[in-house]
Amino acid sequence: MIYGLLAGITWAIETIVIGIALSMAPFIQDQEAIILAPFVSTFLHDLISAIWVTLYNIFKKNEHGVLKAMSSKNGWFVSLAAIIGGPIGMTGYVMAVKYMGSSIGAVASAIFPAIGTVLAHYFLKERIQWYRWLFLLATMIGIYGLSYSPNVKISNFGLGIVGTLMCSFGWGIEVVILAKCMKDSDNAVKDEIALQIRQTTSAIIYGVVIIPMIHGWRFTIGLFSTPANKAIFVIAIASFFATVSYLSYYKAISQIGASKAMALDVTYAAWSVIFTIIFLHDFTLLKPITIICTVIVIGCSILAAVDFRDLI
């Protein structure tokens, strides 16, 4: 459960940092940049994250296991999950952050545990006790309350909702596939190795398919020039926190299951509001309804991950 909470905390930090990157000049300089920003930033985000996790696995001496897993059936399914959660889910997440703001984008996309929990119940046969459903529902209500907090600037509600749907369904489906591959009794894929496959596959799909399709390579290469490369540095910081979050999240999935891991990970919705207030000094979010809903999200998310029979 600590891994699940750490995943939420570090993803909230990532949310703040990627929001800063998307507000920098290269991504808002003209209409073309605004359109390309969610796709290019996600490509760079996953590419740099793949580098971070590769260095981690080299340090852990896991590289032989990575090559072995990539040629296995479960390794291929992890790659499929990467496509669903990366190019589809991550693009949707960045769109939600860009068009609805970092705090609101985070809480809006946080509905993915509800979708993932239903899928885990039917496809992974994870037993979800009735009180955990109630706590999850309370969490969703808290998220709803956060998403409608006053004085929040939403630049494009329609595109923000599209991004939210892409993110929630993409991540919900992805986590079920990953849980199956990491808990399979035959040739299970280790969580650290699964993450490297996931991030590498996502970066390749972006670089080979999506970026050329939207004619984004010229803009992407231009980001490495001075002074635009400051945005690259910020994205690298965001991807570092994302990598820590993913490693923690995958560890939680492998140890306590998909539904419980998602319930804990979704606390990033509340942490992002807290960190927005603390680090960005956005005191417009410091309203009674925001405080109440933040407490509800954190508290009920934790309770939604608890099987009280384990405490007896």
Side-chain angles (χ1 to χ4, degrees), residues 108-141:
S109 62
I111 63 174
F112 84 91
I115 296 171
T117 298
V118 172
L119 295 175
H121 176 70
Y122 285 102
F123 292 101
L124 299 179
K125 307 304 179 184
E126 290 190 9
R127 185 184 177 190
I128 317 296
Q129 292 79 10
W130 63 270
Y131 50 83
R132 289 177 57 200
W133 282 112
L134 289 180
F135 285 127
L136 184 60
L137 176 61
T139 301
M140 296 300 105
I141 293 173

PDB file of all heavy atoms in Angstrom, residues 108-141:
ATOM      1  N   ALA A 108      -9.774  14.965 -13.255  1.00  0.00           N
ATOM      2  CA  ALA A 108     -10.702  14.507 -14.293  1.00  0.00           C
ATOM      3  C   ALA A 108     -10.284  13.155 -14.847  1.00  0.00           C
ATOM      4  O   ALA A 108     -11.115  12.259 -15.065  1.00  0.00           O
ATOM      5  CB  ALA A 108     -10.781  15.539 -15.410  1.00  0.00           C
ATOM      6  N   SER A 109      -8.981  12.990 -15.048  1.00  0.00           N
ATOM      7  CA  SER A 109      -8.494  11.728 -15.598  1.00  0.00           C
ATOM      8  C   SER A 109      -8.465  10.613 -14.556  1.00  0.00           C
ATOM      9  O   SER A 109      -8.271   9.445 -14.895  1.00  0.00           O
ATOM     10  CB  SER A 109      -7.087  11.923 -16.178  1.00  0.00           C
ATOM     11  OG  SER A 109      -6.182  12.317 -15.164  1.00  0.00           O
ATOM     12  N   ALA A 110      -8.682  10.968 -13.292  1.00  0.00           N
ATOM     13  CA  ALA A 110      -8.592   9.990 -12.216  1.00  0.00           C
ATOM     14  C   ALA A 110      -9.774   9.042 -12.145  1.00  0.00           C
ATOM     15  O   ALA A 110      -9.832   8.202 -11.252  1.00  0.00           O
ATOM     16  CB  ALA A 110      -8.435  10.711 -10.869  1.00  0.00           C
ATOM     17  N   ILE A 111     -10.714   9.148 -13.063  1.00  0.00           N
ATOM     18  CA  ILE A 111     -11.840   8.210 -13.059  1.00  0.00           C
ATOM     19  C   ILE A 111     -11.432   6.837 -13.596  1.00  0.00           C
ATOM     20  O   ILE A 111     -12.229   5.898 -13.553  1.00  0.00           O
ATOM     21  CB  ILE A 111     -13.030   8.742 -13.877  1.00  0.00           C
ATOM     22  CG1 ILE A 111     -12.643   8.910 -15.350  1.00  0.00           C
ATOM     23  CG2 ILE A 111     -13.561  10.037 -13.294  1.00  0.00           C
ATOM     24  CD1 ILE A 111     -13.812   9.292 -16.247  1.00  0.00           C
ATOM     25  N   PHE A 112     -10.194   6.706 -14.060  1.00  0.00           N
ATOM     26  CA  PHE A 112      -9.781   5.418 -14.629  1.00  0.00           C
ATOM     27  C   PHE A 112      -9.855   4.247 -13.637  1.00  0.00           C
ATOM     28  O   PHE A 112     -10.103   3.113 -14.060  1.00  0.00           O
ATOM     29  CB  PHE A 112      -8.371   5.512 -15.238  1.00  0.00           C
ATOM     30  CG  PHE A 112      -7.228   5.333 -14.287  1.00  0.00           C
ATOM     31  CD1 PHE A 112      -6.694   4.067 -14.056  1.00  0.00           C
ATOM     32  CD2 PHE A 112      -6.665   6.419 -13.638  1.00  0.00           C
ATOM     33  CE1 PHE A 112      -5.626   3.897 -13.188  1.00  0.00           C
ATOM     34  CE2 PHE A 112      -5.605   6.258 -12.770  1.00  0.00           C
ATOM     35  CZ  PHE A 112      -5.089   4.992 -12.541  1.00  0.00           C
ATOM     36  N   PRO A 113      -9.678   4.453 -12.308  1.00  0.00           N
ATOM     37  CA  PRO A 113      -9.810   3.293 -11.411  1.00  0.00           C
ATOM     38  C   PRO A 113     -11.199   2.674 -11.437  1.00  0.00           C
ATOM     39  O   PRO A 113     -11.337   1.460 -11.232  1.00  0.00           O
ATOM     40  CB  PRO A 113      -9.483   3.876 -10.036  1.00  0.00           C
ATOM     41  CG  PRO A 113      -8.632   5.048 -10.314  1.00  0.00           C
ATOM     42  CD  PRO A 113      -9.185   5.628 -11.576  1.00  0.00           C
ATOM     43  N   ALA A 114     -12.234   3.489 -11.635  1.00  0.00           N
ATOM     44  CA  ALA A 114     -13.587   2.928 -11.681  1.00  0.00           C
ATOM     45  C   ALA A 114     -13.722   1.966 -12.854  1.00  0.00           C
ATOM     46  O   ALA A 114     -14.270   0.866 -12.728  1.00  0.00           O
ATOM     47  CB  ALA A 114     -14.613   4.052 -11.794  1.00  0.00           C
ATOM     48  N   ILE A 115     -13.182   2.372 -13.998  1.00  0.00           N
ATOM     49  CA  ILE A 115     -13.225   1.521 -15.190  1.00  0.00           C
ATOM     50  C   ILE A 115     -12.331   0.303 -14.994  1.00  0.00           C
ATOM     51  O   ILE A 115     -12.721  -0.839 -15.265  1.00  0.00           O
ATOM     52  CB  ILE A 115     -12.792   2.324 -16.433  1.00  0.00           C
ATOM     53  CG1 ILE A 115     -13.793   3.455 -16.695  1.00  0.00           C
ATOM     54  CG2 ILE A 115     -12.661   1.421 -17.659  1.00  0.00           C
ATOM     55  CD1 ILE A 115     -13.365   4.429 -17.747  1.00  0.00           C
ATOM     56  N   GLY A 116     -11.121   0.536 -14.502  1.00  0.00           N
ATOM     57  CA  GLY A 116     -10.189  -0.566 -14.298  1.00  0.00           C
ATOM     58  C   GLY A 116     -10.657  -1.567 -13.261  1.00  0.00           C
ATOM     59  O   GLY A 116     -10.445  -2.774 -13.403  1.00  0.00           O
ATOM     60  N   THR A 117     -11.335  -1.089 -12.216  1.00  0.00           N
ATOM     61  CA  THR A 117     -11.828  -1.985 -11.165  1.00  0.00           C
ATOM     62  C   THR A 117     -12.909  -2.913 -11.694  1.00  0.00           C
ATOM     63  O   THR A 117     -12.935  -4.106 -11.379  1.00  0.00           O
ATOM     64  CB  THR A 117     -12.367  -1.167  -9.971  1.00  0.00           C
ATOM     65  OG1 THR A 117     -11.288  -0.399  -9.410  1.00  0.00           O
ATOM     66  CG2 THR A 117     -12.937  -2.081  -8.897  1.00  0.00           C
ATOM     67  N   VAL A 118     -13.796  -2.368 -12.514  1.00  0.00           N
ATOM     68  CA  VAL A 118     -14.834  -3.205 -13.132  1.00  0.00           C
ATOM     69  C   VAL A 118     -14.199  -4.271 -14.020  1.00  0.00           C
ATOM     70  O   VAL A 118     -14.573  -5.455 -13.979  1.00  0.00           O
ATOM     71  CB  VAL A 118     -15.813  -2.339 -13.949  1.00  0.00           C
ATOM     72  CG1 VAL A 118     -16.771  -3.229 -14.744  1.00  0.00           C
ATOM     73  CG2 VAL A 118     -16.599  -1.416 -13.037  1.00  0.00           C
ATOM     74  N   LEU A 119     -13.208  -3.874 -14.803  1.00  0.00           N
ATOM     75  CA  LEU A 119     -12.523  -4.826 -15.687  1.00  0.00           C
ATOM     76  C   LEU A 119     -11.766  -5.874 -14.876  1.00  0.00           C
ATOM     77  O   LEU A 119     -11.754  -7.058 -15.239  1.00  0.00           O
ATOM     78  CB  LEU A 119     -11.566  -4.071 -16.615  1.00  0.00           C
ATOM     79  CG  LEU A 119     -12.209  -3.116 -17.628  1.00  0.00           C
ATOM     80  CD1 LEU A 119     -11.135  -2.351 -18.385  1.00  0.00           C
ATOM     81  CD2 LEU A 119     -13.101  -3.870 -18.597  1.00  0.00           C
ATOM     82  N   ALA A 120     -11.111  -5.444 -13.780  1.00  0.00           N
ATOM     83  CA  ALA A 120     -10.375  -6.386 -12.930  1.00  0.00           C
ATOM     84  C   ALA A 120     -11.321  -7.394 -12.292  1.00  0.00           C
ATOM     85  O   ALA A 120     -10.978  -8.566 -12.110  1.00  0.00           O
ATOM     86  CB  ALA A 120      -9.604  -5.622 -11.854  1.00  0.00           C
ATOM     87  N   HIS A 121     -12.520  -6.944 -11.957  1.00  0.00           N
ATOM     88  CA  HIS A 121     -13.505  -7.828 -11.341  1.00  0.00           C
ATOM     89  C   HIS A 121     -13.930  -8.934 -12.303  1.00  0.00           C
ATOM     90  O   HIS A 121     -14.040 -10.102 -11.920  1.00  0.00           O
ATOM     91  CB  HIS A 121     -14.719  -7.011 -10.895  1.00  0.00           C
ATOM     92  CG  HIS A 121     -15.837  -7.837 -10.333  1.00  0.00           C
ATOM     93  ND1 HIS A 121     -15.751  -8.487  -9.119  1.00  0.00           N
ATOM     94  CD2 HIS A 121     -17.067  -8.131 -10.831  1.00  0.00           C
ATOM     95  CE1 HIS A 121     -16.878  -9.137  -8.882  1.00  0.00           C
ATOM     96  NE2 HIS A 121     -17.696  -8.937  -9.909  1.00  0.00           N
ATOM     97  N   TYR A 122     -14.146  -8.569 -13.561  1.00  0.00           N
ATOM     98  CA  TYR A 122     -14.652  -9.539 -14.529  1.00  0.00           C
ATOM     99  C   TYR A 122     -13.556 -10.369 -15.196  1.00  0.00           C
ATOM    100  O   TYR A 122     -13.748 -11.553 -15.479  1.00  0.00           O
ATOM    101  CB  TYR A 122     -15.488  -8.827 -15.597  1.00  0.00           C
ATOM    102  CG  TYR A 122     -16.850  -8.409 -15.100  1.00  0.00           C
ATOM    103  CD1 TYR A 122     -17.115  -7.095 -14.749  1.00  0.00           C
ATOM    104  CD2 TYR A 122     -17.873  -9.346 -14.945  1.00  0.00           C
ATOM    105  CE1 TYR A 122     -18.364  -6.712 -14.268  1.00  0.00           C
ATOM    106  CE2 TYR A 122     -19.123  -8.979 -14.470  1.00  0.00           C
ATOM    107  CZ  TYR A 122     -19.367  -7.664 -14.138  1.00  0.00           C
ATOM    108  OH  TYR A 122     -20.601  -7.299 -13.656  1.00  0.00           O
ATOM    109  N   PHE A 123     -12.405  -9.763 -15.452  1.00  0.00           N
ATOM    110  CA  PHE A 123     -11.380 -10.471 -16.212  1.00  0.00           C
ATOM    111  C   PHE A 123     -10.274 -11.068 -15.343  1.00  0.00           C
ATOM    112  O   PHE A 123      -9.663 -12.066 -15.725  1.00  0.00           O
ATOM    113  CB  PHE A 123     -10.761  -9.536 -17.257  1.00  0.00           C
ATOM    114  CG  PHE A 123     -11.707  -9.144 -18.354  1.00  0.00           C
ATOM    115  CD1 PHE A 123     -12.329  -7.908 -18.343  1.00  0.00           C
ATOM    116  CD2 PHE A 123     -11.999 -10.015 -19.389  1.00  0.00           C
ATOM    117  CE1 PHE A 123     -13.218  -7.544 -19.345  1.00  0.00           C
ATOM    118  CE2 PHE A 123     -12.881  -9.668 -20.399  1.00  0.00           C
ATOM    119  CZ  PHE A 123     -13.497  -8.430 -20.371  1.00  0.00           C
ATOM    120  N   LEU A 124     -10.005 -10.449 -14.189  1.00  0.00           N
ATOM    121  CA  LEU A 124      -8.978 -10.985 -13.300  1.00  0.00           C
ATOM    122  C   LEU A 124      -9.574 -11.711 -12.105  1.00  0.00           C
ATOM    123  O   LEU A 124      -8.850 -12.246 -11.275  1.00  0.00           O
ATOM    124  CB  LEU A 124      -8.062  -9.855 -12.797  1.00  0.00           C
ATOM    125  CG  LEU A 124      -7.292  -9.076 -13.864  1.00  0.00           C
ATOM    126  CD1 LEU A 124      -6.463  -7.978 -13.216  1.00  0.00           C
ATOM    127  CD2 LEU A 124      -6.419 -10.001 -14.698  1.00  0.00           C
ATOM    128  N   LYS A 125     -10.892 -11.689 -12.027  1.00  0.00           N
ATOM    129  CA  LYS A 125     -11.619 -12.347 -10.938  1.00  0.00           C
ATOM    130  C   LYS A 125     -11.211 -11.804  -9.568  1.00  0.00           C
ATOM    131  O   LYS A 125     -11.207 -12.541  -8.573  1.00  0.00           O
ATOM    132  CB  LYS A 125     -11.399 -13.874 -10.978  1.00  0.00           C
ATOM    133  CG  LYS A 125     -11.720 -14.515 -12.332  1.00  0.00           C
ATOM    134  CD  LYS A 125     -13.136 -14.222 -12.788  1.00  0.00           C
ATOM    135  CE  LYS A 125     -13.419 -14.863 -14.145  1.00  0.00           C
ATOM    136  NZ  LYS A 125     -14.769 -14.512 -14.657  1.00  0.00           N
ATOM    137  N   GLU A 126     -10.842 -10.533  -9.524  1.00  0.00           N
ATOM    138  CA  GLU A 126     -10.524  -9.919  -8.242  1.00  0.00           C
ATOM    139  C   GLU A 126     -11.833  -9.632  -7.502  1.00  0.00           C
ATOM    140  O   GLU A 126     -12.743  -9.007  -8.044  1.00  0.00           O
ATOM    141  CB  GLU A 126      -9.740  -8.612  -8.435  1.00  0.00           C
ATOM    142  CG  GLU A 126      -8.327  -8.818  -8.942  1.00  0.00           C
ATOM    143  CD  GLU A 126      -7.503  -7.542  -8.903  1.00  0.00           C
ATOM    144  OE1 GLU A 126      -7.990  -6.542  -8.319  1.00  0.00           O
ATOM    145  OE2 GLU A 126      -6.392  -7.544  -9.434  1.00  0.00           O
ATOM    146  N   ARG A 127     -11.892 -10.089  -6.274  1.00  0.00           N
ATOM    147  CA  ARG A 127     -13.102  -9.882  -5.476  1.00  0.00           C
ATOM    148  C   ARG A 127     -13.094  -8.470  -4.902  1.00  0.00           C
ATOM    149  O   ARG A 127     -12.154  -8.073  -4.215  1.00  0.00           O
ATOM    150  CB  ARG A 127     -13.181 -10.904  -4.350  1.00  0.00           C
ATOM    151  CG  ARG A 127     -14.469 -10.804  -3.559  1.00  0.00           C
ATOM    152  CD  ARG A 127     -14.475 -11.765  -2.383  1.00  0.00           C
ATOM    153  NE  ARG A 127     -15.696 -11.599  -1.588  1.00  0.00           N
ATOM    154  CZ  ARG A 127     -15.890 -12.157  -0.412  1.00  0.00           C
ATOM    155  NH1 ARG A 127     -14.938 -12.924   0.119  1.00  0.00           N
ATOM    156  NH2 ARG A 127     -17.009 -11.966   0.246  1.00  0.00           N
ATOM    157  N   ILE A 128     -14.141  -7.720  -5.204  1.00  0.00           N
ATOM    158  CA  ILE A 128     -14.260  -6.355  -4.707  1.00  0.00           C
ATOM    159  C   ILE A 128     -15.413  -6.325  -3.703  1.00  0.00           C
ATOM    160  O   ILE A 128     -16.580  -6.427  -4.080  1.00  0.00           O
ATOM    161  CB  ILE A 128     -14.545  -5.350  -5.854  1.00  0.00           C
ATOM    162  CG1 ILE A 128     -13.663  -5.654  -7.074  1.00  0.00           C
ATOM    163  CG2 ILE A 128     -14.354  -3.931  -5.355  1.00  0.00           C
ATOM    164  CD1 ILE A 128     -12.195  -5.494  -6.828  1.00  0.00           C
ATOM    165  N   GLN A 129     -15.088  -6.210  -2.423  1.00  0.00           N
ATOM    166  CA  GLN A 129     -16.118  -6.204  -1.394  1.00  0.00           C
ATOM    167  C   GLN A 129     -17.030  -4.991  -1.547  1.00  0.00           C
ATOM    168  O   GLN A 129     -16.611  -3.946  -2.054  1.00  0.00           O
ATOM    169  CB  GLN A 129     -15.490  -6.204   0.012  1.00  0.00           C
ATOM    170  CG  GLN A 129     -14.770  -7.490   0.389  1.00  0.00           C
ATOM    171  CD  GLN A 129     -13.380  -7.597  -0.226  1.00  0.00           C
ATOM    172  OE1 GLN A 129     -12.877  -6.636  -0.792  1.00  0.00           O
ATOM    173  NE2 GLN A 129     -12.759  -8.756  -0.098  1.00  0.00           N
ATOM    174  N   TRP A 130     -18.260  -5.132  -1.073  1.00  0.00           N
ATOM    175  CA  TRP A 130     -19.261  -4.076  -1.264  1.00  0.00           C
ATOM    176  C   TRP A 130     -18.822  -2.746  -0.663  1.00  0.00           C
ATOM    177  O   TRP A 130     -19.067  -1.680  -1.244  1.00  0.00           O
ATOM    178  CB  TRP A 130     -20.604  -4.500  -0.652  1.00  0.00           C
ATOM    179  CG  TRP A 130     -20.561  -4.714   0.846  1.00  0.00           C
ATOM    180  CD1 TRP A 130     -20.278  -5.865   1.502  1.00  0.00           C
ATOM    181  CD2 TRP A 130     -20.795  -3.710   1.847  1.00  0.00           C
ATOM    182  NE1 TRP A 130     -20.327  -5.668   2.865  1.00  0.00           N
ATOM    183  CE2 TRP A 130     -20.651  -4.359   3.109  1.00  0.00           C
ATOM    184  CE3 TRP A 130     -21.126  -2.358   1.815  1.00  0.00           C
ATOM    185  CZ2 TRP A 130     -20.811  -3.671   4.302  1.00  0.00           C
ATOM    186  CZ3 TRP A 130     -21.288  -1.671   3.007  1.00  0.00           C
ATOM    187  CH2 TRP A 130     -21.130  -2.346   4.231  1.00  0.00           C
ATOM    188  N   TYR A 131     -18.112  -2.782   0.479  1.00  0.00           N
ATOM    189  CA  TYR A 131     -17.704  -1.526   1.105  1.00  0.00           C
ATOM    190  C   TYR A 131     -16.587  -0.852   0.307  1.00  0.00           C
ATOM    191  O   TYR A 131     -16.466   0.382   0.325  1.00  0.00           O
ATOM    192  CB  TYR A 131     -17.275  -1.746   2.562  1.00  0.00           C
ATOM    193  CG  TYR A 131     -16.264  -2.859   2.779  1.00  0.00           C
ATOM    194  CD1 TYR A 131     -14.908  -2.640   2.598  1.00  0.00           C
ATOM    195  CD2 TYR A 131     -16.687  -4.127   3.188  1.00  0.00           C
ATOM    196  CE1 TYR A 131     -13.989  -3.656   2.810  1.00  0.00           C
ATOM    197  CE2 TYR A 131     -15.774  -5.142   3.404  1.00  0.00           C
ATOM    198  CZ  TYR A 131     -14.427  -4.902   3.201  1.00  0.00           C
ATOM    199  OH  TYR A 131     -13.518  -5.916   3.397  1.00  0.00           O
ATOM    200  N   ARG A 132     -15.790  -1.637  -0.401  1.00  0.00           N
ATOM    201  CA  ARG A 132     -14.749  -1.040  -1.253  1.00  0.00           C
ATOM    202  C   ARG A 132     -15.377  -0.329  -2.440  1.00  0.00           C
ATOM    203  O   ARG A 132     -14.888   0.717  -2.875  1.00  0.00           O
ATOM    204  CB  ARG A 132     -13.763  -2.114  -1.709  1.00  0.00           C
ATOM    205  CG  ARG A 132     -12.863  -2.634  -0.584  1.00  0.00           C
ATOM    206  CD  ARG A 132     -11.948  -3.747  -1.051  1.00  0.00           C
ATOM    207  NE  ARG A 132     -11.138  -3.319  -2.171  1.00  0.00           N
ATOM    208  CZ  ARG A 132     -10.541  -4.170  -3.024  1.00  0.00           C
ATOM    209  NH1 ARG A 132     -10.701  -5.481  -2.867  1.00  0.00           N
ATOM    210  NH2 ARG A 132      -9.812  -3.718  -4.006  1.00  0.00           N
ATOM    211  N   TRP A 133     -16.469  -0.892  -2.969  1.00  0.00           N
ATOM    212  CA  TRP A 133     -17.205  -0.196  -4.036  1.00  0.00           C
ATOM    213  C   TRP A 133     -17.739   1.138  -3.517  1.00  0.00           C
ATOM    214  O   TRP A 133     -17.701   2.152  -4.225  1.00  0.00           O
ATOM    215  CB  TRP A 133     -18.362  -1.059  -4.536  1.00  0.00           C
ATOM    216  CG  TRP A 133     -17.973  -2.171  -5.463  1.00  0.00           C
ATOM    217  CD1 TRP A 133     -18.033  -3.512  -5.221  1.00  0.00           C
ATOM    218  CD2 TRP A 133     -17.471  -2.037  -6.801  1.00  0.00           C
ATOM    219  NE1 TRP A 133     -17.594  -4.221  -6.310  1.00  0.00           N
ATOM    220  CE2 TRP A 133     -17.247  -3.346  -7.291  1.00  0.00           C
ATOM    221  CE3 TRP A 133     -17.181  -0.946  -7.615  1.00  0.00           C
ATOM    222  CZ2 TRP A 133     -16.758  -3.594  -8.577  1.00  0.00           C
ATOM    223  CZ3 TRP A 133     -16.684  -1.189  -8.898  1.00  0.00           C
ATOM    224  CH2 TRP A 133     -16.470  -2.499  -9.355  1.00  0.00           C
ATOM    225  N   LEU A 134     -18.252   1.161  -2.276  1.00  0.00           N
ATOM    226  CA  LEU A 134     -18.798   2.395  -1.704  1.00  0.00           C
ATOM    227  C   LEU A 134     -17.711   3.446  -1.518  1.00  0.00           C
ATOM    228  O   LEU A 134     -17.910   4.630  -1.810  1.00  0.00           O
ATOM    229  CB  LEU A 134     -19.473   2.102  -0.367  1.00  0.00           C
ATOM    230  CG  LEU A 134     -20.797   1.335  -0.411  1.00  0.00           C
ATOM    231  CD1 LEU A 134     -21.336   1.119   1.004  1.00  0.00           C
ATOM    232  CD2 LEU A 134     -21.830   2.080  -1.264  1.00  0.00           C
ATOM    233  N   PHE A 135     -16.539   3.004  -1.019  1.00  0.00           N
ATOM    234  CA  PHE A 135     -15.439   3.948  -0.840  1.00  0.00           C
ATOM    235  C   PHE A 135     -14.936   4.461  -2.193  1.00  0.00           C
ATOM    236  O   PHE A 135     -14.569   5.635  -2.326  1.00  0.00           O
ATOM    237  CB  PHE A 135     -14.290   3.298  -0.059  1.00  0.00           C
ATOM    238  CG  PHE A 135     -14.561   3.159   1.408  1.00  0.00           C
ATOM    239  CD1 PHE A 135     -14.436   1.928   2.040  1.00  0.00           C
ATOM    240  CD2 PHE A 135     -14.930   4.258   2.161  1.00  0.00           C
ATOM    241  CE1 PHE A 135     -14.686   1.797   3.397  1.00  0.00           C
ATOM    242  CE2 PHE A 135     -15.179   4.141   3.530  1.00  0.00           C
ATOM    243  CZ  PHE A 135     -15.058   2.904   4.148  1.00  0.00           C
ATOM    244  N   LEU A 136     -14.927   3.585  -3.196  1.00  0.00           N
ATOM    245  CA  LEU A 136     -14.520   4.012  -4.532  1.00  0.00           C
ATOM    246  C   LEU A 136     -15.514   5.025  -5.084  1.00  0.00           C
ATOM    247  O   LEU A 136     -15.126   6.021  -5.702  1.00  0.00           O
ATOM    248  CB  LEU A 136     -14.410   2.806  -5.469  1.00  0.00           C
ATOM    249  CG  LEU A 136     -13.905   3.096  -6.892  1.00  0.00           C
ATOM    250  CD1 LEU A 136     -12.516   3.714  -6.852  1.00  0.00           C
ATOM    251  CD2 LEU A 136     -13.893   1.820  -7.728  1.00  0.00           C
ATOM    252  N   LEU A 137     -16.806   4.779  -4.856  1.00  0.00           N
ATOM    253  CA  LEU A 137     -17.831   5.723  -5.292  1.00  0.00           C
ATOM    254  C   LEU A 137     -17.660   7.066  -4.589  1.00  0.00           C
ATOM    255  O   LEU A 137     -17.773   8.137  -5.216  1.00  0.00           O
ATOM    256  CB  LEU A 137     -19.220   5.152  -4.997  1.00  0.00           C
ATOM    257  CG  LEU A 137     -20.418   6.068  -5.314  1.00  0.00           C
ATOM    258  CD1 LEU A 137     -20.449   6.415  -6.792  1.00  0.00           C
ATOM    259  CD2 LEU A 137     -21.718   5.404  -4.885  1.00  0.00           C
ATOM    260  N   ALA A 138     -17.360   7.022  -3.284  1.00  0.00           N
ATOM    261  CA  ALA A 138     -17.126   8.261  -2.535  1.00  0.00           C
ATOM    262  C   ALA A 138     -15.918   9.002  -3.095  1.00  0.00           C
ATOM    263  O   ALA A 138     -15.907  10.244  -3.164  1.00  0.00           O
ATOM    264  CB  ALA A 138     -16.919   7.940  -1.047  1.00  0.00           C
ATOM    265  N   THR A 139     -14.888   8.242  -3.507  1.00  0.00           N
ATOM    266  CA  THR A 139     -13.708   8.854  -4.108  1.00  0.00           C
ATOM    267  C   THR A 139     -14.073   9.567  -5.401  1.00  0.00           C
ATOM    268  O   THR A 139     -13.630  10.698  -5.657  1.00  0.00           O
ATOM    269  CB  THR A 139     -12.643   7.781  -4.406  1.00  0.00           C
ATOM    270  OG1 THR A 139     -12.281   7.133  -3.181  1.00  0.00           O
ATOM    271  CG2 THR A 139     -11.395   8.406  -5.019  1.00  0.00           C
ATOM    272  N   MET A 140     -14.905   8.909  -6.229  1.00  0.00           N
ATOM    273  CA  MET A 140     -15.328   9.525  -7.483  1.00  0.00           C
ATOM    274  C   MET A 140     -16.139  10.800  -7.226  1.00  0.00           C
ATOM    275  O   MET A 140     -15.996  11.788  -7.953  1.00  0.00           O
ATOM    276  CB  MET A 140     -16.183   8.541  -8.286  1.00  0.00           C
ATOM    277  CG  MET A 140     -15.471   7.277  -8.748  1.00  0.00           C
ATOM    278  SD  MET A 140     -14.045   7.603  -9.818  1.00  0.00           S
ATOM    279  CE  MET A 140     -12.696   7.276  -8.676  1.00  0.00           C
ATOM    280  N   ILE A 141     -16.968  10.790  -6.182  1.00  0.00           N
ATOM    281  CA  ILE A 141     -17.735  11.991  -5.830  1.00  0.00           C
ATOM    282  C   ILE A 141     -16.790  13.108  -5.393  1.00  0.00           C
ATOM    283  O   ILE A 141     -16.968  14.282  -5.751  1.00  0.00           O
ATOM    284  CB  ILE A 141     -18.753  11.673  -4.717  1.00  0.00           C
ATOM    285  CG1 ILE A 141     -19.823  10.710  -5.243  1.00  0.00           C
ATOM    286  CG2 ILE A 141     -19.404  12.950  -4.195  1.00  0.00           C
ATOM    287  CD1 ILE A 141     -20.785  10.202  -4.177  1.00  0.00           C
TER     288      ILE A 141
END
